[in-house]
């Protein structure tokens, strides 16, 4: 486990996971790590998200003009959709060696494995959840999404990114 519960620069927060892949690549003693962190307010695009369709016009205009936008706009190495990071929304990473855990190479199996771990942890906190589509968790009692997830594989490591909504007031800040 990498103890990393502090709020940090969102660019650095994402870079840590990619740097860890380079650092641990080929290390026969590496099995994996889990990391949780919070970012300050930031817009985080998935690897293939279209910035034109996923960023509100005022922020997009700043990015296109080379100005610093009101919210940082960044892109992560994993896929998935665009998410808003900020207080009330935790981020987590689960990374496993594909050599030690070859079953997580298959995408569907890896989501079942990683989201299964998160579901167990939530259940221990009294929150019953279930998978919806391949990469989301929803509360069983409300049907509301509480976690979005994405992955990338690099240098023999499967990296699973997730968000976990911990404050329902955060939802009001998301433009649908």
């Amino acid at each position: 486990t990498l103890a990393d519960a502090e709020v940090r620069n969102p660019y650095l927060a994402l870079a840590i996971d990619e740097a860890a892949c380079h650092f641990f690549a080929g290390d026969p003693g590496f099995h994996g790590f889990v990391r949780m962190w919070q970012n300050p307010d930031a817009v985080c695009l998935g690897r293939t998200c279209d910035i034109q369709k996923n960023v509100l016009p005022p922020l997009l205009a700043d990015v296109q003009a080379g100005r610093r936008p009101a919210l940082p706009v960044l892109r992560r190495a994993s896929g998935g959709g665009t998410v808003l990071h900020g207080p009330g929304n935790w981020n987590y990473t689960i990374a496993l060696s594909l050599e030690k855990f070859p079953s997580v190479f298959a995408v569907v199996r890896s989501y079942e494995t990683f989201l299964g771990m998160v579901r167990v942890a939530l259940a221990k906190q009294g929150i019953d959840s279930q998978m919806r589509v391949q990469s989301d968790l929803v509360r069983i009692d409300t049907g509301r999404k509480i976690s979005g997830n994405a992955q990338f594989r690099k240098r023999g490591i499967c990296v699973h990114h997730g968000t976990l909504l911990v404050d329902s007031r955060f939802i009001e800040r998301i433009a649908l």
Side-chain angles (χ1 to χ4, degrees):
T1 301
L2 298 178
D4 191 17
E6 68 182 81
V7 175
R8 63 171 63 251
N9 175 304
Y11 299 99
L12 177 61
L14 291 178
I16 287 171
D17 293 334
E18 288 194 74
C21 288
H22 291 280
F23 181 80
F24 291 118
D27 179 343
F30 175 74
H31 286 76
F33 66 83
V34 174
R35 183 170 82 92
M36 291 192 74
W37 77 97
Q38 278 192 316
N39 277 339
D41 290 336
V43 176
C44 185
L45 292 105
R47 184 184 71 248
T48 61
C49 288
D50 182 346
I51 192 170
Q52 303 285 335
K53 295 177 182 173
N54 287 270
V55 175
L56 294 173
L59 293 177
L60 183 59
D62 285 344
V63 170
Q64 290 173 330
R67 295 185 300 263
R68 174 178 269 179
L71 292 177
V73 177
L74 45 137
R75 188 176 298 277
R76 64 183 181 276
S78 58
T82 299
V83 296
L84 179 64
H85 288 187
N89 190 40
W90 278 88
N91 302 289
Y92 65 89
T93 299
I94 305 170
L96 292 177
S97 163
L98 290 169
E99 180 181 325
K100 303 280 193 294
F101 301 95
S103 65
V104 298
F105 184 78
V107 174
V108 172
R109 174 78 170 129
S110 64
Y111 276 103
E112 290 169 351
T113 299
F114 294 128
L115 293 181
M117 289 188 274
V118 174
R119 289 184 64 221
V120 167
L122 289 171
K124 288 183 179 192
Q125 304 300 313
I127 301 169
D128 292 322
S129 62
Q130 65 186 18
M131 286 179 66
R132 184 177 67 193
V133 294
Q134 176 175 279
S135 60
D136 293 341
L137 288 178
V138 297
R139 288 184 63 125
I140 290 176
D141 59 350
T142 64
R144 304 286 307 255
K145 180 177 173 177
I146 58 171
S147 179
N149 300 269
Q151 299 179 356
F152 71 90
R153 286 149 179 76
K154 183 179 268 187
R155 303 185 60 106
I157 298 172
C158 178
V159 176
H160 179 95
H161 284 149
T163 60
L164 189 59
L165 183 64
V166 295
D167 184 343
S168 61
R169 293 174 295 182
F170 190 78
I171 295 171
E172 299 165 5
R173 302 180 54 218
I174 300 171
L176 301 176

